[in-house]
Amino acid sequence: MSARAVVLEEFGKPLALREFTIPEAPAGGMIVACGFGGICGTDLHLHAGHLNIPTPLVLGHEGLGVVRELAPGVDKDAAGAPLSVGDTVMWASSIACGTCVPCRLHREPTLCENRRTYGVNRSTVDGPELSGAWADHIVLQAGTTVIKVAEGTDPLAAMSLACAGPTVVHALYERRPVRLGETVVVQGSGPVGLAAAAFAQLAGAAKVILVGGPAARLTQAAAAGIGEVHLNIAEAADPDAVLAQVLAETGGLGADLVIECAGVPAAVSQGLRLARRGGSYLVIGQYTDAGDTTLNPHQIVHRQLDVVGSWAFTGAHLVEYVRLLPALAARFDLASLVTAFALDEHAAALAAVAEGSVMKAVFAS
């Protein structure tokens, strides 16, 4: 049997739809039929050659699918639940080595120096070729965190925040949790920003202010029930006036917690001024190095801010995201955020993500 896959062969060049033979499940691993493969902003950077990765490469580091084959002895998911052929699962994108200094000494597997990531650094040359989610099937290796999705879960709802959700779980569970009754400002209205706003609401924030744009994204977020105040800074003629609106919405004192999810370096300087004195500034969005920016460090000291960064996620964070999906889907219209494309529509899908005309693009096969 063979499977189709979208392959990055050369940076900046059109992607290719190729066919590969589906191998047997590797020892300790499994074969999963990828019903869905998410398109993340990081994929655009990979395609453009902004990150040092091997090629050729089947892209796709976030997915959901049905188990087709299990290697002998593989019979439980990451939470210890029985796992069988036919079960719907999600899987963590990376496997930490467990032996580098961050893994072994600092207890920071997200900072692993040797992590192997599906759809990012698993070349088709090194094999197995089907090591990305933009494919009909994926080969999951031993050590991959695989978790069953609750029966009845809408797969589009699950995929809406497939990468952003676990990323925010890490940020809000371990780096700087949302506390009951806090006022939270979220900078950025893409999937990471929406995940941060939704999780803040679920965690008991008294008010969540979403600052982003363009207008269509903010309208979509509001329609899905995400965020209580929506302010468009991306298309504002006077951004300072929007920032003044944000402060007014906090009662003039600033937010208890400001979460940066914009990925725009200039947002950091703005965000520091939106936090109250004694508040916190949590930076999630600067995953790709978009360059330097100017900020006034006096704002950090004068406001006595806790400034915290959060990088990526581990399998444990994916498990928590999947566990929270029923509660998230019950409160927010997550499926409405997703636009599905066929694998052979990969060029149109990436173009839509690049121009921002869709909130979350997903390949469905």
Side-chain angles (χ1 to χ4, degrees), residues 38-45 134 191 217 339 341 346-363:
I39 303 174
C40 177
T42 301
D43 295 312
L44 299 181
H45 292 288
W134 294 5
R217 283 198 167 195
T339 302
F341 294 85
H346 54 81
L350 263 68
V353 173
E355 66 190 19
S357 61
V358 297
M359 178 67 75
K360 179 63 181 181
V362 169
F363 288 120

Side-chain angles (χ1 to χ4, degrees), residues 72-365:
V74 178
D75 57 7
K76 289 182 175 59
D77 75 355
L83 187 62
S84 304
V85 170
D87 286 339
T88 299
V89 297
M90 297 182 77
W91 55 93
S93 54
S94 297
I95 303 175
C97 72
T99 59
C100 68
V101 169
C103 282
R104 190 177 67 251
L105 298 183
H106 300 156
R107 300 182 297 282
E108 290 283 5
T110 58
L111 304 181
C112 175
E113 297 171 349
N114 306 304
R115 68 177 184 163
R116 299 280 285 152
T117 304
Y118 295 106
V120 176
N121 60 10
R122 292 179 175 270
S123 168
T124 59
V125 175
D126 297 333
E129 293 115 335
L130 295 169
S131 293
W134 294 5
D136 292 324
H137 289 75
I138 186 170
V139 181
L140 298 182
Q141 302 291 330
T144 304
T145 298
V146 178
I147 183 74
K148 286 168 65 173
V149 177
E151 195 171 333
T153 300
D154 184 338
L156 292 182
M159 287 303 301
S160 67
L161 305 174
C163 182
T167 298
V168 171
V169 168
H170 176 212
L172 296 186
Y173 185 76
E174 295 183 23
R175 303 299 292 156
R176 203 306 194 165
V178 173
R179 296 165 188 143
L180 289 174
E182 286 193 318
T183 295
V184 177
V185 168
V186 176
Q187 296 176 279
S189 51
V192 177
L194 266 58
F199 275 66
Q201 288 173 267
L202 207 62
K207 191 175 191 178
V208 176
I209 304 164
L210 192 59
V211 186
R217 283 198 167 195
L218 293 172
T219 299
Q220 196 172 8
I226 299 175
E228 283 127 353
V229 178
H230 304 82
L231 298 175
N232 187 350
I233 196 169
E235 298 173 316
D238 184 1
D240 287 338
V242 178
L243 297 175
Q245 278 184 275
V246 177
L247 287 175
E249 290 287 347
T250 69
L253 297 176
D256 300 293
L257 171 62
V258 179
I259 309 174
E260 185 282 316
C261 304
V264 179
V268 175
S269 178
Q270 295 174 344
L272 291 173
R273 295 174 182 268
L274 297 177
R276 67 166 173 83
R277 296 190 74 184
S280 299
Y281 191 60
L282 175 60
V283 183
I284 307 175
Q286 306 293 325
Y287 189 80
T288 302
D289 188 347
D292 295 335
T293 190
T294 301
L295 59 82
N296 182 351
H298 171 68
Q299 293 297 323
I300 299 173
V301 177
H302 170 68
R303 295 171 188 271
Q304 197 169 288
L305 297 180
D306 290 328
V307 180
V308 182
S310 186
W311 174 263
F313 65 91
T314 67
H317 304 123
L318 174 72
V319 170
E320 293 304 321
Y321 169 67
V322 173
R323 283 175 170 167
L324 283 169
L325 270 174
L328 285 166
R331 181 163 178 179
F332 308 107
D333 186 5
L334 298 181
S336 70
L337 306 175
V338 177
T339 302
F341 294 85
L343 284 176
D344 58 9
E345 297 176 308
H346 54 81
L350 263 68
V353 173
E355 66 190 19
S357 61
V358 297
M359 178 67 75
K360 179 63 181 181
V362 169
F363 288 120
S365 60

